[in-house]
Amino acid sequence: QAVVAASLRARTRSSARVAAEQGAPMASIRLLPHVRRSCRPAVDSVRCIATSAFAPALGKRPRGRSAAFSLSDWRLAGGLAAAGIALDGISVQTCRRFASGCESAPAKDGLPEVVESFPSDLSLQNSTVRLYQFESCPFCRKARGVLDYSRVPYEIVEVHPLSKAETKGIAADYKKVPILEVRSADGRALQMRDSKNIVKAVLAVGGMGNGGTAAKVPAPSATASTGKMWPPADFEAGSIEEQWIRWTDAVLVQCIVLNVYRNFSESAETFSYLLTHPTFSWLAARSAAASGTVVMWAVAKHRKKQFGVPDERAALFESLDLFASAVSSGGGKFLGGDQPGAVDFNVYGIMRSTEGCQTERDFTEQCKGILPWWSAMNEVVGPCLATNANAVQRGA
């Protein structure tokens, strides 16, 4: 343990110098004063990953604030590091690469052009379509849902959350997923980034259309547990559809993070898909799964305190009940009325990211109000049209 600790200490100091050179917040490697000295290198690594990697995806942490981890939590993280599980040798740069965004840039020679909408004459059904994703990413599941609904055959390219080697060939300047790559029959090569853009663009050219929101659908509001999530500080009221789409990222995604990673058991369950992936090596799969389990558990713990959420499940169930009530107010099966719209696919994709996990089992048992909409969405979306959909297995 002493040898591993010394190695981690040296690597952490090196990472700190790199972080300083690149302007990274030094809070990312700061320690709580009561942490035992023997655990300090391991804790540095875990804190580095949690703050450097996930701040872009989940909102930046205020400078100078420390996450509320107990001493026993830090001991556990230190034990994992001492055991050599995933943490040894992780630099600030590697930390940032890990899940740096489950969410443009100009095209470069030979690379697909980055677009925010598709040409009106583009036929996705007659194109070669690839979706670069993380299996457990709610943003990626939005894209999959709308592709399946539009009956677009596509290939899933699972991206390794640490190396991101799979996207370097088409998007070396972009470290997030999803990325939708489209190569048309007439030779056009396009790529689209950001799940909200993908949903709207696929609905526009996929042949199904966007149902929008029904006329009587109310604007989203805060619940007893989500008052610090909605409305966000930079909120600007737009159309009802725009407000609900903003709500999906500001509230529903946060509730999912709090729930699927709320303890070590559920966090490990969420990352278990990596262990079944056929193209990842034994070491690569297990290092990513182990580090992801620790990091996202830590992120969820911090987010719970940041948003003042006493009960993660209650916050999720309240949010789903709010959405189900809005669907009911609209008078149709979907928020879009008789046809699902962009909001429906944003919500559906986020909820589908819990597939095979305890969170899914609990909300389908406890949130009866959401089940008619959930069943209707499952029916219209239909089976997954990914040519390699069975490459990985989800959940326990």
Side-chain angles (χ1 to χ4, degrees):
Q1 181 172 356
V3 172
V4 173
S7 173
L8 283 168
R9 184 180 296 109
R11 293 178 184 274
T12 301
R13 287 171 179 167
S14 176
S15 298
R17 288 194 296 271
V18 174
E21 291 170 0
Q22 297 194 2
M26 288 297 99
S28 63
I29 56 169
R30 232 172 29 199
L31 299 167
L32 296 176
H34 64 269
V35 176
R36 288 189 175 182
R37 188 174 298 275
S38 61
C39 293
R40 184 166 295 181
V43 173
D44 273 349
S45 295
V46 175
R47 174 68 69 79
C48 167
I49 302 171
T51 58
S52 294
F54 293 96
L58 300 176
K60 294 186 177 180
R61 194 173 103 204
R63 291 177 181 263
R65 290 187 58 183
S66 298
F69 299 109
S70 66
L71 181 57
S72 62
D73 296 336
W74 291 116
R75 284 173 175 165
L76 179 56
L80 287 172
I85 301 179
L87 297 177
D88 189 13
I90 296 180
S91 68
V92 166
Q93 304 308 313
T94 304
C95 292
R96 282 176 174 161
R97 288 197 295 270
F98 188 95
S100 59
C102 265
E103 300 290 73
S104 294
K108 297 182 179 181
D109 292 342
L111 298 181
E113 178 187 359
V114 179
V115 297
E116 294 187 358
S117 61
F118 290 129
S120 59
D121 63 338
L122 179 69
S123 172
L124 291 175
Q125 289 81 359
N126 295 321
S127 300
T128 299
V129 179
R130 294 186 181 90
L131 178 66
Y132 296 81
Q133 68 151 33
F134 298 154
E135 177 67 20
S136 61
C137 169
F139 304 105
C140 299
R141 296 307 289 256
K142 295 182 191 180
R144 285 178 59 176
V146 76
L147 287 169
D148 294 333
Y149 172 72
S150 301
R151 309 296 184 258
V152 176
Y154 60 100
E155 177 189 359
I156 292 172
V157 180
E158 190 66 27
V159 178
H160 192 280
L162 286 173
S163 68
K164 303 210 172 48
E166 294 76 11
T167 62
K168 290 179 180 177
I170 67 159
D173 61 318
Y174 190 71
K175 305 302 181 183
K176 301 179 182 182
V177 290
I179 300 173
L180 188 66
E181 178 188 10
V182 178
R183 296 185 181 272
S184 66
D186 60 4
R188 286 175 290 183
L190 309 171
Q191 64 172 291
M192 184 168 291
R193 306 164 177 181
D194 188 277
S195 60
K196 295 184 291 295
N197 286 343
I198 293 172
V199 167
K200 287 190 173 183
V202 172
L203 288 176
V205 302
M208 297 298 195
N210 180 5
T213 55
K216 295 183 179 180
V217 169
S221 59
T223 67
S225 301
T226 63
K228 291 187 177 181
M229 300 179 190
W230 186 263
D234 59 346
F235 176 73
E236 293 183 5
S239 68
I240 296 297
E241 181 184 39
E242 290 169 342
Q243 291 183 53
W244 274 107
I245 290 176
R246 184 83 184 274
W247 175 88
T248 64
D249 286 353
V251 177
L252 194 56
V253 167
Q254 298 292 351
C255 288
I256 292 299
V257 169
L258 293 178
N259 278 272
V260 297
Y261 307 115
R262 67 174 181 162
N263 53 47
F264 261 85
S265 175
E266 292 187 50
S267 188
E269 179 185 52
T270 304
F271 280 100
S272 63
Y273 77 92
L274 286 168
L275 305 180
T276 70
H277 199 282
T279 65
F280 294 163
S281 69
W282 186 93
L283 179 60
R286 280 153 183 80
S287 63
S291 55
T293 296
V294 173
V295 168
M296 289 310 298
W297 163 80
V299 169
K301 195 174 182 71
H302 171 66
R303 289 280 155 177
K304 181 178 179 179
K305 180 179 179 181
Q306 177 185 354
F307 291 120
V309 175
D311 185 320
E312 304 94 329
R313 285 293 197 264
L316 176 61
F317 296 165
E318 290 169 12
S319 298
L320 293 179
D321 287 343
L322 176 72
F323 179 74
S325 176
V327 172
S328 179
S329 297
K333 294 188 295 184
F334 310 102
L335 201 73
D338 294 330
Q339 176 185 355
V343 179
D344 292 288
F345 287 102
N346 277 271
V347 174
Y348 180 73
I350 293 168
M351 300 313 300
R352 285 293 287 173
S353 71
T354 67
E355 180 184 5
C357 296
Q358 187 61 46
T359 297
E360 181 190 44
R361 295 188 286 273
D362 286 351
F363 87 72
T364 53
E365 179 179 342
Q366 299 295 325
C367 297
K368 302 301 183 183
I370 199 70
L371 295 185
W373 172 87
W374 182 248
S375 298
M377 285 297 297
N378 282 325
E379 181 178 353
V380 298
V381 169
C384 180
L385 293 185
T387 56
N388 56 341
N390 296 322
V392 298
Q393 302 299 318
R394 290 297 311 275

